[in-house]
Amino acid sequence: MTIRVCLAGATGWAGSALAHGIVKSNDIEVVSAVSRTHAGKTLGDVLAEPALTCQIYATAQEALQAKSCDVFFEFTKPDVAKSNILTALENKTHVVVGTSGLSDEDYQEIKVAAEKNQRGVLAVGNFALTVVLLQKFSEIAAKFIPQWEIIDYASDRKKDSPSGTVRELANRLSKVRPSELTVPLEETQGVKETRGARMTGSQVHALRLPSYTISAEVIFGMPDQRLTIRHDSGTSAQPYVDGSLLAIRKVDSFVGLRRGLDSVLDLS
Ligand SMILES: NC(=O)c1ccc[n+]([C@@H]2O[C@H](COP(=O)([O-])OP(=O)(O)OC[C@H]3O[C@@H](n4cnc5c(N)ncnc54)[C@H](OP(=O)(O)O)[C@@H]3O)[C@@H](O)[C@H]2O)c1
């Protein structure tokens, strides 16, 4: 059985790499695509890939109404992502979310809609295997080491902060425990903001500088010893393609919201 996908953001940096990856698969097909600037064209014309014969629509609503699909893949921008996801769920499709910038409150709303419509939503802040491992190793470390801080590195042009990778990491560590602070934040002397932001129990510091793509680092500290776990991505979108294909294949295996690729993998 071929899995029919509506790919929102199909002409973008991440979405176009995924579209090319889908062409190479033998069990997934892009049946519709979303992009405002290329609406009306076929995806194959825009991406110079004749095998991608589907039409591009300006909105998720139009794409979902024009072609039925099994999975809606969200790879656009945070300002439209939530509304796209809720529209897809109302259209009874499963959803994979790659777009970053949605809050925990947004995900709470999405979870309710997924359960109401009896569909699965798999939200993955970063599809790269080394990030999946960063998350897993950090969760193990947090069980043994009560104090850590997270550093989020990205390009100077990235508008959302923190990255989806770090947002998801902080959310996951909060399920282990909150990181302890020896000096409570309100007792900080000097400029409190230099201590970063408190996000679901972790201190998070975000850097936005030219030369970075996405890197994430968790530093665990204990008396006289320290552990650093770090992921660095290169400049191509290739590391995200394999994880995205896996997410498309697995998202119909549950109902409700799951976050992180490892939620559908056996990493034990
Ligand atoms: N989870 C992961 O592993 C992962 C990996 C890479 C990227 N990301 C995230 O994925 C998202 C996309 O990243 P990107 O680098 O691919 O961005 P990008 O190159 O700017 O591409 C964005 C795509 O979305 C479309 N789009 C943007 N706004 C839209 C709107 N209002 N309505 C319809 N289509 C819209 C764009 O087409 P038009 O402008 O023509 O509409 C384009 O096709 C970001 O949030 C990024 O952080 C996540």
Side-chain angles (χ1 to χ4, degrees):
M1 277 270 288
T2 302
I3 307 169
R4 297 164 304 158
V5 173
C6 172
L7 181 50
T11 59
W13 180 72
S16 60
L18 175 56
H20 287 293
I22 289 176
V23 169
K24 293 194 191 105
S25 79
N26 54 14
D27 58 341
I28 307 173
E29 182 191 358
V30 187
V31 295
S32 60
V34 181
S35 144
R36 294 157 304 177
T37 46
H38 299 286
K41 299 178 193 161
T42 61
L43 186 56
D45 286 343
V46 179
L47 301 188
E49 171 55 81
L52 290 165
T53 54
C54 71
Q55 193 78 20
I56 302 176
Y57 301 87
T59 65
Q61 179 77 33
E62 287 172 70
L64 288 160
Q65 271 169 10
K67 277 274 184 186
S68 75
C69 63
D70 306 302
V71 176
F72 177 83
F73 202 111
E74 170 50 51
F75 244 156
T76 64
K77 291 285 159 189
D79 52 346
V80 283
K82 186 170 87 173
S83 124
N84 284 352
I85 295 162
L86 295 176
T87 303
L89 287 171
E90 279 159 23
N91 279 270
K92 308 286 182 200
T93 72
H94 300 287
V95 181
V96 178
V97 186
T99 308
S100 58
L102 277 77
S103 65
D104 289 338
E105 291 73 32
D106 291 331
Y107 277 117
Q108 188 51 38
E109 204 180 318
I110 288 164
K111 179 177 187 284
V112 171
E115 285 165 359
K116 182 177 154 224
N117 290 289
Q118 290 292 293
R119 290 295 179 272
V121 176
L122 181 53
V124 181
N126 195 311
F127 289 101
L129 178 64
T130 52
V131 169
V132 176
L133 294 174
L134 167 92
Q135 290 171 336
K136 202 71 195 170
F137 297 156
S138 300
E139 282 173 328
I140 295 169
K143 285 183 190 157
F144 297 96
I145 308 175
Q147 287 181 277
W148 66 84
E149 305 212 0
I150 302 175
I151 309 180
D152 173 35
Y153 305 84
S155 126
D156 54 319
R157 285 177 295 146
K158 186 171 179 64
K159 286 189 181 158
D160 58 303
S161 178
S163 63
T165 309
V166 160
R167 210 180 266 273
E168 194 171 284
L169 184 62
N171 179 280
R172 297 169 68 106
L173 290 178
S174 73
K175 297 195 173 109
V176 181
R177 58 165 129 179
S179 169
E180 288 173 14
L181 292 160
T182 305
V183 177
L185 293 175
E186 55 281 8
E187 288 176 26
T188 305
Q189 294 175 359
V191 182
K192 286 193 179 58
E193 288 76 9
T194 55
R195 292 290 296 115
R198 188 81 179 159
M199 283 194 68
T200 53
S202 292
Q203 284 309 116
V204 175
H205 312 263
L207 273 66
R208 292 292 177 264
L209 286 171
S211 83
Y212 285 108
T213 307
I214 287 281
S215 299
E217 188 173 279
V218 195
I219 304 172
F220 291 89
M222 294 178 87
D224 243 359
Q225 52 183 323
R226 194 162 53 238
L227 170 70
T228 300
I229 307 176
R230 179 179 169 120
H231 150 85
D232 292 289
S233 57
T235 51
S236 94
Q238 197 51 42
Y240 310 122
V241 173
D242 288 344
S244 299
L245 295 175
L246 181 74
I248 291 169
R249 293 183 180 115
K250 294 281 189 179
V251 68
D252 72 346
S253 62
F254 62 93
V255 165
L257 171 70
R258 290 199 189 175
R259 290 179 74 176
L261 199 58
D262 69 311
S263 67
V264 292
L265 288 174
D266 182 9
L267 287 181
S268 55

